Amino acid sequence: CSFDLVVLDEASQSNVTALLALLRGSRVLVVGDQKQVSPTAAFISEAKIANLKASLLRSRHPYVEQLLPERSVFDLAQTCYADARVALVQHFRCVPQCIAYSNRLFYHGRLQPRRLPPRSRRLEPALVDVRVAGGVKRGKTNVVEADGLVAYLVRELGKADSEVRDASIGVISLGGVEQARLLRSKLLAALTDQQLATHKIVVGDPTSFQGDERDVILLSMVASPGQSPPQLGRTYEQRYN
């Protein structure tokens, strides 16, 4: 069957296999953000990627880079239909203090924050920095930081007057799935089933949270001085955004 219009949402997460869905539409609307996480090529060998690239170059395909595994359908659409792009600048997911970092670093101040929760649901301050003394990244995890995060959450949920007593909670590891697995196991051991269900607690890495949201997010940075490579380039930018 075919459709007058096919809408592909979260297209920045979809690889070229999503093109099959777009072929069913007389018109297509591709929605995404190149500043957010893209498909990964982590489980594809460098040799296979090199062979694919060489094959595309031999065929003189005009969009070689956009068809590689770590690129998304949104990247391809943005290149093919550059003159048809429409930028949505009103931001409704985060309060202004939370989106300010990304707005300044990745969107050049163009985003217009529009979320203003009622005072009864407002958490102030919106951003809280917690330094975990002695936290060191070893391998791909930071055990001391994980213990500190879990202890912090247990304390907050144990307070009768806690600001997060009715909030949904997400825990994101910015260092990858290994820290996320560690945090998940520790939280399952430290919290009750009722707490996990009441606060809809989810633990993951940036990829698993793409398109999702929670009232409160706890970030595990994982990195520590002298134990992490320079976190530069498109992959890290998308992860932090």
Side-chain angles (χ1 to χ4, degrees):
C1 61
S2 60
F3 303 91
D4 295 327
L5 175 66
V6 170
V7 180
L8 180 62
D9 196 10
E10 298 289 353
S12 51
Q13 294 183 76
S14 305
N15 60 25
V16 293
T17 58
L19 288 174
L20 296 175
L22 298 182
L23 292 175
R24 294 186 174 275
S26 300
R27 295 183 298 166
V28 299
L29 177 61
V30 180
V31 184
D33 183 352
Q34 76 273 21
K35 300 291 187 180
Q36 297 183 5
V37 289
S38 294
T40 178
F43 300 103
I44 304 175
S45 69
E46 292 185 7
K48 287 185 177 180
I49 295 175
N51 289 337
L52 173 61
K53 189 170 184 177
S55 175
L56 291 170
L57 287 170
R58 284 195 299 271
S59 69
R60 297 185 178 182
H61 197 286
Y63 305 119
V64 173
E65 293 295 330
Q66 285 70 31
L67 292 175
L68 295 179
E70 67 271 18
R71 294 291 182 166
S72 68
V73 169
F74 186 80
D75 293 323
L76 180 61
Q78 187 173 233
T79 301
C80 296
Y81 306 107
D83 59 342
R85 289 185 298 173
V86 176
L88 304 179
V89 297
Q90 295 189 27
H91 179 83
F92 292 92
R93 175 163 291 175
C94 303
V95 296
Q97 298 94 321
C98 289
I99 195 58
Y101 171 81
S102 290
N103 195 13
R104 182 180 70 254
L105 199 61
F106 304 114
Y107 299 101
H108 309 292
R110 289 195 293 265
L111 294 184
Q112 302 170 10
R114 290 288 186 262
R115 182 161 191 162
L116 184 62
R119 183 167 293 278
S120 61
R121 291 184 56 82
R122 203 173 299 172
L123 301 179
E124 294 178 334
L127 294 176
V128 177
D129 300 326
V130 178
R131 184 180 184 277
V132 180
V136 177
K137 180 184 179 186
R138 300 189 187 282
K140 295 185 177 182
T141 62
N142 188 326
V143 177
V144 175
E145 182 182 278
D147 289 336
L149 187 151
V150 171
Y152 174 83
L153 185 55
V154 169
R155 284 197 307 272
E156 286 299 313
L157 296 183
K159 296 177 182 177
D161 59 346
S162 172
E163 287 189 312
V164 300
R165 60 183 178 276
D166 298 319
S168 59
I169 297 171
V171 181
I172 301 179
S173 160
L174 290 179
V177 296
E178 292 80 9
Q179 182 81 354
R181 293 192 190 107
L182 176 64
L183 285 163
R184 187 181 297 111
S185 66
K186 289 180 176 294
L187 286 168
L188 287 173
L191 300 177
T192 66
D193 290 343
Q194 182 177 354
Q195 287 176 316
L196 293 168
T198 299
H199 298 283
K200 301 178 182 177
I201 295 175
V202 176
V203 185
D205 64 353
T207 301
S208 63
F209 267 85
Q210 187 69 52
D212 200 356
E213 67 176 74
R214 288 293 185 272
D215 296 326
V216 175
I217 293 291
L218 302 181
L219 292 178
S220 175
M221 307 301 289
V222 187
S224 62
Q227 300 297 323
S228 299
Q231 300 187 10
L232 305 171
R234 173 182 167 132
T235 298
Y236 285 108
E237 288 180 0
Q238 292 177 333
R239 184 181 297 176
Y240 278 82
N241 185 37

